[in-house]
Amino acid sequence: DVGIDALCGIMCENLGEASVDDRTQWRKENLIVEETDNVLRQWERKLYSVYANKMSKDVGKVRNRWTLKIWDKFINDAKLIDEQFTIQISKLAYHFAKMDVVDEHKHIIRYQTMSWLEFIESLARIVQFKKMPAKERIEMVGKNDVCEYYDWLIEEGITHQEHMLREPMECDEEGAEQDPFAWQLDQLIRLIFRNLKLDGQTFSEMRPPDDASKNGGRR
């Protein structure tokens, strides 16, 4: 398997600017803004339920963390992989969300695993790499959100790619103005819970513990 660090170099060739590892600037522009924070606060308790129910029980002395193996399974269960957003690129989202600056030899578990706050950021990172159906396209077929749109696609017996080919729209063209980042993030989270439910997984709301910030709580 290609290591996470080595993967960055490979992805840079395929993703261009999207793969530039300028984490601080990206967070200022997309993550640490009011609109994104509002979306994450809306979904926080339900997302924490996903994180808590799936976190590893076998990561040494470090509590409340995800391994890359757990992340890979989550991405597959949520059915997020497609021709453009591959499993390799999903690993890049995992890597870019890492916030702990630690000695990888002395603190190998923290270096290799994901905290709660890093999990939250990793979802935002998916938006950076995965092209979601445009709001204009969703509304064009009379639907309110991405979940209704994908249900409509199933009823029509076509895929999103096939729909774009059948009904070309300027919003899907290269270089078209993107929908607001916070809106895309909200749609992604809705899609994740829709697909997990189709996979037989349901999650109630859970309040993150008060000490979550020590292991990666909300900002």
Side-chain angles (χ1 to χ4, degrees), residues 132-150 152-153 160 163 169 171-172 179 183-184 187-188 190:
M132 298 292 293
K135 183 178 182 180
E136 185 178 347
R137 176 168 292 280
I138 292 172
E139 293 177 344
M140 185 262 286
V141 296
K143 304 305 175 183
N144 296 310
D145 59 39
V146 70
C147 299
E148 291 184 6
Y149 173 69
Y150 274 104
W152 177 84
L153 289 176
H160 175 49
H163 185 224
M169 299 180 68
C171 60
D172 298 316
D179 290 312
W183 182 87
Q184 293 185 66
Q187 297 302 300
L188 172 70
R190 290 175 185 274

mmCIF file of all heavy atoms in Angstrom, residues 132-150 152-153 160 163 169 171-172 179 183-184 187-188 190:
data_model
loop_
_atom_site.group_PDB
_atom_site.id
_atom_site.type_symbol
_atom_site.label_atom_id
_atom_site.label_comp_id
_atom_site.label_asym_id
_atom_site.label_seq_id
_atom_site.Cartn_x
_atom_site.Cartn_y
_atom_site.Cartn_z
ATOM 1 N N MET A 132 -20.063 17.694 -5.603
ATOM 2 C CA MET A 132 -21.446 17.382 -5.249
ATOM 3 C C MET A 132 -22.385 17.876 -6.346
ATOM 4 O O MET A 132 -22.056 18.812 -7.093
ATOM 5 C CB MET A 132 -21.796 18.063 -3.926
ATOM 6 C CG MET A 132 -20.970 17.605 -2.735
ATOM 7 S SD MET A 132 -21.333 15.894 -2.286
ATOM 8 C CE MET A 132 -23.027 16.050 -1.722
ATOM 9 N N PRO A 133 -23.577 17.289 -6.471
ATOM 10 C CA PRO A 133 -24.555 17.810 -7.436
ATOM 11 C C PRO A 133 -24.844 19.279 -7.152
ATOM 12 O O PRO A 133 -25.024 19.679 -5.999
ATOM 13 C CB PRO A 133 -25.787 16.934 -7.171
ATOM 14 C CG PRO A 133 -25.240 15.655 -6.617
ATOM 15 C CD PRO A 133 -24.066 16.069 -5.784
ATOM 16 N N ALA A 134 -24.871 20.090 -8.179
ATOM 17 C CA ALA A 134 -25.084 21.523 -8.017
ATOM 18 C C ALA A 134 -26.506 21.807 -7.546
ATOM 19 O O ALA A 134 -27.460 21.103 -7.903
ATOM 20 C CB ALA A 134 -24.816 22.240 -9.335
ATOM 21 N N LYS A 135 -26.647 22.859 -6.752
ATOM 22 C CA LYS A 135 -27.955 23.249 -6.242
ATOM 23 C C LYS A 135 -28.921 23.521 -7.389
ATOM 24 O O LYS A 135 -30.101 23.145 -7.336
ATOM 25 C CB LYS A 135 -27.812 24.485 -5.362
ATOM 26 C CG LYS A 135 -29.108 24.936 -4.707
ATOM 27 C CD LYS A 135 -28.872 26.144 -3.809
ATOM 28 C CE LYS A 135 -30.159 26.565 -3.119
ATOM 29 N NZ LYS A 135 -29.966 27.746 -2.238
ATOM 30 N N GLU A 136 -28.430 24.163 -8.443
ATOM 31 C CA GLU A 136 -29.277 24.475 -9.598
ATOM 32 C C GLU A 136 -29.816 23.210 -10.249
ATOM 33 O O GLU A 136 -30.978 23.169 -10.680
ATOM 34 C CB GLU A 136 -28.475 25.294 -10.612
ATOM 35 C CG GLU A 136 -29.289 25.783 -11.795
ATOM 36 C CD GLU A 136 -28.474 26.627 -12.762
ATOM 37 O OE1 GLU A 136 -27.345 27.033 -12.403
ATOM 38 O OE2 GLU A 136 -28.962 26.864 -13.885
ATOM 39 N N ARG A 137 -28.981 22.156 -10.323
ATOM 40 C CA ARG A 137 -29.424 20.892 -10.922
ATOM 41 C C ARG A 137 -30.469 20.219 -10.037
ATOM 42 O O ARG A 137 -31.464 19.668 -10.534
ATOM 43 C CB ARG A 137 -28.227 19.959 -11.139
ATOM 44 C CG ARG A 137 -28.615 18.582 -11.677
ATOM 45 C CD ARG A 137 -27.422 17.796 -12.140
ATOM 46 N NE ARG A 137 -26.824 18.397 -13.331
ATOM 47 C CZ ARG A 137 -27.295 18.238 -14.571
ATOM 48 N NH1 ARG A 137 -28.372 17.503 -14.794
ATOM 49 N NH2 ARG A 137 -26.686 18.801 -15.582
ATOM 50 N N ILE A 138 -30.259 20.255 -8.745
ATOM 51 C CA ILE A 138 -31.207 19.653 -7.804
ATOM 52 C C ILE A 138 -32.572 20.329 -7.919
ATOM 53 O O ILE A 138 -33.616 19.674 -7.979
ATOM 54 C CB ILE A 138 -30.673 19.758 -6.354
ATOM 55 C CG1 ILE A 138 -29.435 18.864 -6.193
ATOM 56 C CG2 ILE A 138 -31.745 19.360 -5.350
ATOM 57 C CD1 ILE A 138 -28.724 19.032 -4.861
ATOM 58 N N GLU A 139 -32.543 21.673 -7.967
ATOM 59 C CA GLU A 139 -33.793 22.428 -8.049
ATOM 60 C C GLU A 139 -34.450 22.284 -9.410
ATOM 61 O O GLU A 139 -35.675 22.391 -9.536
ATOM 62 C CB GLU A 139 -33.516 23.899 -7.740
ATOM 63 C CG GLU A 139 -33.083 24.125 -6.295
ATOM 64 C CD GLU A 139 -32.726 25.567 -5.991
ATOM 65 O OE1 GLU A 139 -32.526 26.337 -6.963
ATOM 66 O OE2 GLU A 139 -32.638 25.928 -4.802
ATOM 67 N N MET A 140 -33.639 22.026 -10.450
ATOM 68 C CA MET A 140 -34.173 21.883 -11.800
ATOM 69 C C MET A 140 -35.152 20.712 -11.896
ATOM 70 O O MET A 140 -36.111 20.752 -12.683
ATOM 71 C CB MET A 140 -33.013 21.699 -12.791
ATOM 72 C CG MET A 140 -33.436 21.667 -14.257
ATOM 73 S SD MET A 140 -33.585 19.976 -14.900
ATOM 74 C CE MET A 140 -31.856 19.533 -15.047
ATOM 75 N N VAL A 141 -34.933 19.679 -11.109
ATOM 76 C CA VAL A 141 -35.842 18.528 -11.145
ATOM 77 C C VAL A 141 -36.873 18.602 -10.019
ATOM 78 O O VAL A 141 -37.554 17.622 -9.715
ATOM 79 C CB VAL A 141 -35.064 17.190 -11.069
ATOM 80 C CG1 VAL A 141 -34.175 17.026 -12.286
ATOM 81 C CG2 VAL A 141 -34.242 17.092 -9.788
ATOM 82 N N GLY A 142 -36.958 19.769 -9.381
ATOM 83 C CA GLY A 142 -37.995 19.986 -8.376
ATOM 84 C C GLY A 142 -37.715 19.390 -7.018
ATOM 85 O O GLY A 142 -38.649 19.133 -6.247
ATOM 86 N N LYS A 143 -36.435 19.197 -6.701
ATOM 87 C CA LYS A 143 -36.076 18.601 -5.416
ATOM 88 C C LYS A 143 -35.435 19.639 -4.501
ATOM 89 O O LYS A 143 -34.911 20.658 -4.953
ATOM 90 C CB LYS A 143 -35.145 17.410 -5.619
ATOM 91 C CG LYS A 143 -35.715 16.334 -6.533
ATOM 92 C CD LYS A 143 -37.088 15.851 -6.051
ATOM 93 C CE LYS A 143 -37.728 14.872 -7.015
ATOM 94 N NZ LYS A 143 -39.085 14.468 -6.577
ATOM 95 N N ASN A 144 -35.491 19.364 -3.197
ATOM 96 C CA ASN A 144 -35.031 20.337 -2.200
ATOM 97 C C ASN A 144 -33.600 20.134 -1.740
ATOM 98 O O ASN A 144 -32.960 21.086 -1.289
ATOM 99 C CB ASN A 144 -35.950 20.302 -0.969
ATOM 100 C CG ASN A 144 -37.366 20.740 -1.294
ATOM 101 O OD1 ASN A 144 -37.567 21.778 -1.904
ATOM 102 N ND2 ASN A 144 -38.336 19.931 -0.894
ATOM 103 N N ASP A 145 -33.122 18.896 -1.818
ATOM 104 C CA ASP A 145 -31.758 18.635 -1.354
ATOM 105 C C ASP A 145 -31.181 17.436 -2.086
ATOM 106 O O ASP A 145 -31.845 16.796 -2.907
ATOM 107 C CB ASP A 145 -31.706 18.418 0.169
ATOM 108 C CG ASP A 145 -32.574 17.254 0.636
ATOM 109 O OD1 ASP A 145 -32.624 16.210 -0.052
ATOM 110 O OD2 ASP A 145 -33.199 17.370 1.711
ATOM 111 N N VAL A 146 -29.924 17.127 -1.775
ATOM 112 C CA VAL A 146 -29.213 16.069 -2.494
ATOM 113 C C VAL A 146 -29.833 14.699 -2.264
ATOM 114 O O VAL A 146 -29.801 13.842 -3.150
ATOM 115 C CB VAL A 146 -27.721 16.079 -2.097
ATOM 116 C CG1 VAL A 146 -27.537 15.603 -0.662
ATOM 117 C CG2 VAL A 146 -26.884 15.237 -3.051
ATOM 118 N N CYS A 147 -30.429 14.481 -1.085
ATOM 119 C CA CYS A 147 -31.051 13.179 -0.807
ATOM 120 C C CYS A 147 -32.263 12.952 -1.701
ATOM 121 O O CYS A 147 -32.428 11.873 -2.283
ATOM 122 C CB CYS A 147 -31.445 13.092 0.671
ATOM 123 S SG CYS A 147 -30.056 13.231 1.806
ATOM 124 N N GLU A 148 -33.114 13.974 -1.792
ATOM 125 C CA GLU A 148 -34.274 13.865 -2.680
ATOM 126 C C GLU A 148 -33.824 13.685 -4.129
ATOM 127 O O GLU A 148 -34.459 12.956 -4.900
ATOM 128 C CB GLU A 148 -35.153 15.116 -2.556
ATOM 129 C CG GLU A 148 -35.869 15.240 -1.218
ATOM 130 C CD GLU A 148 -36.805 16.436 -1.178
ATOM 131 O OE1 GLU A 148 -36.972 17.103 -2.229
ATOM 132 O OE2 GLU A 148 -37.364 16.700 -0.102
ATOM 133 N N TYR A 149 -32.734 14.357 -4.484
ATOM 134 C CA TYR A 149 -32.220 14.249 -5.852
ATOM 135 C C TYR A 149 -31.758 12.827 -6.154
ATOM 136 O O TYR A 149 -32.102 12.273 -7.210
ATOM 137 C CB TYR A 149 -31.071 15.237 -6.047
ATOM 138 C CG TYR A 149 -30.361 15.099 -7.380
ATOM 139 C CD1 TYR A 149 -30.995 15.440 -8.566
ATOM 140 C CD2 TYR A 149 -29.045 14.616 -7.442
ATOM 141 C CE1 TYR A 149 -30.348 15.314 -9.792
ATOM 142 C CE2 TYR A 149 -28.393 14.494 -8.660
ATOM 143 C CZ TYR A 149 -29.044 14.834 -9.828
ATOM 144 O OH TYR A 149 -28.402 14.708 -11.040
ATOM 145 N N TYR A 150 -30.999 12.218 -5.236
ATOM 146 C CA TYR A 150 -30.531 10.850 -5.473
ATOM 147 C C TYR A 150 -31.682 9.852 -5.449
ATOM 148 O O TYR A 150 -31.649 8.854 -6.189
ATOM 149 C CB TYR A 150 -29.453 10.472 -4.462
ATOM 150 C CG TYR A 150 -28.069 10.900 -4.901
ATOM 151 C CD1 TYR A 150 -27.437 12.002 -4.329
ATOM 152 C CD2 TYR A 150 -27.392 10.217 -5.902
ATOM 153 C CE1 TYR A 150 -26.183 12.411 -4.754
ATOM 154 C CE2 TYR A 150 -26.135 10.611 -6.322
ATOM 155 C CZ TYR A 150 -25.535 11.709 -5.745
ATOM 156 O OH TYR A 150 -24.290 12.112 -6.174
ATOM 157 N N TRP A 152 -34.617 10.583 -6.565
ATOM 158 C CA TRP A 152 -35.206 10.802 -7.887
ATOM 159 C C TRP A 152 -34.414 10.070 -8.964
ATOM 160 O O TRP A 152 -34.994 9.477 -9.886
ATOM 161 C CB TRP A 152 -35.250 12.301 -8.177
ATOM 162 C CG TRP A 152 -35.775 12.636 -9.542
ATOM 163 C CD1 TRP A 152 -37.082 12.753 -9.913
ATOM 164 C CD2 TRP A 152 -34.990 12.900 -10.720
ATOM 165 N NE1 TRP A 152 -37.163 13.080 -11.253
ATOM 166 C CE2 TRP A 152 -35.892 13.174 -11.775
ATOM 167 C CE3 TRP A 152 -33.630 12.938 -10.985
ATOM 168 C CZ2 TRP A 152 -35.474 13.474 -13.066
ATOM 169 C CZ3 TRP A 152 -33.204 13.241 -12.272
ATOM 170 C CH2 TRP A 152 -34.115 13.500 -13.295
ATOM 171 N N LEU A 153 -33.097 10.096 -8.863
ATOM 172 C CA LEU A 153 -32.265 9.390 -9.834
ATOM 173 C C LEU A 153 -32.580 7.897 -9.846
ATOM 174 O O LEU A 153 -32.645 7.268 -10.908
ATOM 175 C CB LEU A 153 -30.779 9.593 -9.509
ATOM 176 C CG LEU A 153 -30.186 10.982 -9.764
ATOM 177 C CD1 LEU A 153 -28.742 11.033 -9.287
ATOM 178 C CD2 LEU A 153 -30.264 11.365 -11.240
ATOM 179 N N HIS A 160 -26.091 10.023 -11.586
ATOM 180 C CA HIS A 160 -25.834 11.464 -11.644
ATOM 181 C C HIS A 160 -25.063 11.819 -12.918
ATOM 182 O O HIS A 160 -25.383 12.813 -13.596
ATOM 183 C CB HIS A 160 -25.058 11.889 -10.407
ATOM 184 C CG HIS A 160 -24.632 13.322 -10.408
ATOM 185 N ND1 HIS A 160 -25.501 14.362 -10.698
ATOM 186 C CD2 HIS A 160 -23.419 13.898 -10.157
ATOM 187 C CE1 HIS A 160 -24.853 15.512 -10.622
ATOM 188 N NE2 HIS A 160 -23.594 15.266 -10.310
ATOM 189 N N HIS A 163 -27.328 11.726 -15.852
ATOM 190 C CA HIS A 163 -28.239 12.869 -15.850
ATOM 191 C C HIS A 163 -27.537 14.119 -16.371
ATOM 192 O O HIS A 163 -28.133 14.911 -17.121
ATOM 193 C CB HIS A 163 -28.776 13.122 -14.437
ATOM 194 C CG HIS A 163 -29.803 14.205 -14.374
ATOM 195 N ND1 HIS A 163 -29.819 15.179 -13.403
ATOM 196 C CD2 HIS A 163 -30.869 14.484 -15.184
ATOM 197 C CE1 HIS A 163 -30.845 15.995 -13.610
ATOM 198 N NE2 HIS A 163 -31.494 15.595 -14.677
ATOM 199 N N MET A 169 -25.822 21.411 -18.090
ATOM 200 C CA MET A 169 -26.103 22.699 -17.469
ATOM 201 C C MET A 169 -24.786 23.431 -17.233
ATOM 202 O O MET A 169 -23.748 22.815 -16.998
ATOM 203 C CB MET A 169 -26.850 22.515 -16.137
ATOM 204 C CG MET A 169 -28.195 21.817 -16.253
ATOM 205 S SD MET A 169 -29.015 21.621 -14.638
ATOM 206 C CE MET A 169 -29.380 23.348 -14.248
ATOM 207 N N CYS A 171 -23.852 25.053 -14.724
ATOM 208 C CA CYS A 171 -23.359 24.882 -13.361
ATOM 209 C C CYS A 171 -22.431 23.681 -13.225
ATOM 210 O O CYS A 171 -21.686 23.571 -12.242
ATOM 211 C CB CYS A 171 -24.520 24.752 -12.374
ATOM 212 S SG CYS A 171 -25.624 23.349 -12.686
ATOM 213 N N ASP A 172 -22.454 22.765 -14.190
ATOM 214 C CA ASP A 172 -21.612 21.570 -14.138
ATOM 215 C C ASP A 172 -20.326 21.716 -14.940
ATOM 216 O O ASP A 172 -19.470 20.836 -14.901
ATOM 217 C CB ASP A 172 -22.385 20.352 -14.671
ATOM 218 C CG ASP A 172 -23.619 20.034 -13.837
ATOM 219 O OD1 ASP A 172 -23.513 20.071 -12.602
ATOM 220 O OD2 ASP A 172 -24.678 19.767 -14.432
ATOM 221 N N ASP A 179 -21.227 26.318 -5.653
ATOM 222 C CA ASP A 179 -22.197 26.615 -4.599
ATOM 223 C C ASP A 179 -21.439 26.939 -3.317
ATOM 224 O O ASP A 179 -20.291 26.499 -3.134
ATOM 225 C CB ASP A 179 -23.114 25.407 -4.375
ATOM 226 C CG ASP A 179 -24.071 25.181 -5.533
ATOM 227 O OD1 ASP A 179 -24.708 26.158 -5.972
ATOM 228 O OD2 ASP A 179 -24.187 24.035 -6.004
ATOM 229 N N TRP A 183 -23.081 25.242 2.186
ATOM 230 C CA TRP A 183 -24.217 24.511 1.605
ATOM 231 C C TRP A 183 -23.770 23.136 1.130
ATOM 232 O O TRP A 183 -24.456 22.134 1.368
ATOM 233 C CB TRP A 183 -24.806 25.314 0.442
ATOM 234 C CG TRP A 183 -26.004 24.641 -0.181
ATOM 235 C CD1 TRP A 183 -27.304 24.759 0.219
ATOM 236 C CD2 TRP A 183 -26.003 23.718 -1.281
ATOM 237 N NE1 TRP A 183 -28.118 23.981 -0.563
ATOM 238 C CE2 TRP A 183 -27.346 23.324 -1.484
ATOM 239 C CE3 TRP A 183 -25.013 23.190 -2.094
ATOM 240 C CZ2 TRP A 183 -27.714 22.433 -2.491
ATOM 241 C CZ3 TRP A 183 -25.376 22.298 -3.093
ATOM 242 C CH2 TRP A 183 -26.708 21.927 -3.292
ATOM 243 N N GLN A 184 -22.635 23.067 0.469
ATOM 244 C CA GLN A 184 -22.122 21.782 -0.006
ATOM 245 C C GLN A 184 -21.849 20.831 1.163
ATOM 246 O O GLN A 184 -22.134 19.631 1.078
ATOM 247 C CB GLN A 184 -20.833 21.984 -0.802
ATOM 248 C CG GLN A 184 -21.003 22.713 -2.117
ATOM 249 C CD GLN A 184 -19.694 22.761 -2.885
ATOM 250 O OE1 GLN A 184 -19.178 21.740 -3.332
ATOM 251 N NE2 GLN A 184 -19.140 23.961 -3.031
ATOM 252 N N GLN A 187 -25.090 19.431 2.453
ATOM 253 C CA GLN A 187 -25.599 18.411 1.537
ATOM 254 C C GLN A 187 -24.818 17.108 1.667
ATOM 255 O O GLN A 187 -25.389 16.010 1.634
ATOM 256 C CB GLN A 187 -25.552 18.922 0.098
ATOM 257 C CG GLN A 187 -26.427 20.135 -0.170
ATOM 258 C CD GLN A 187 -27.890 19.878 0.149
ATOM 259 O OE1 GLN A 187 -28.525 18.983 -0.426
ATOM 260 N NE2 GLN A 187 -28.434 20.650 1.076
ATOM 261 N N LEU A 188 -23.503 17.213 1.834
ATOM 262 C CA LEU A 188 -22.683 16.022 2.014
ATOM 263 C C LEU A 188 -23.101 15.262 3.257
ATOM 264 O O LEU A 188 -23.261 14.031 3.227
ATOM 265 C CB LEU A 188 -21.204 16.407 2.112
ATOM 266 C CG LEU A 188 -20.265 15.251 2.500
ATOM 267 C CD1 LEU A 188 -20.140 14.244 1.366
ATOM 268 C CD2 LEU A 188 -18.899 15.778 2.915
ATOM 269 N N ARG A 190 -25.954 15.333 4.823
ATOM 270 C CA ARG A 190 -27.274 14.742 4.580
ATOM 271 C C ARG A 190 -27.133 13.452 3.767
ATOM 272 O O ARG A 190 -27.794 12.435 4.061
ATOM 273 C CB ARG A 190 -28.175 15.726 3.835
ATOM 274 C CG ARG A 190 -28.607 16.931 4.662
ATOM 275 C CD ARG A 190 -29.402 17.929 3.820
ATOM 276 N NE ARG A 190 -29.698 19.124 4.580
ATOM 277 C CZ ARG A 190 -30.753 19.269 5.374
ATOM 278 N NH1 ARG A 190 -31.629 18.282 5.477
ATOM 279 N NH2 ARG A 190 -30.956 20.388 6.041
#
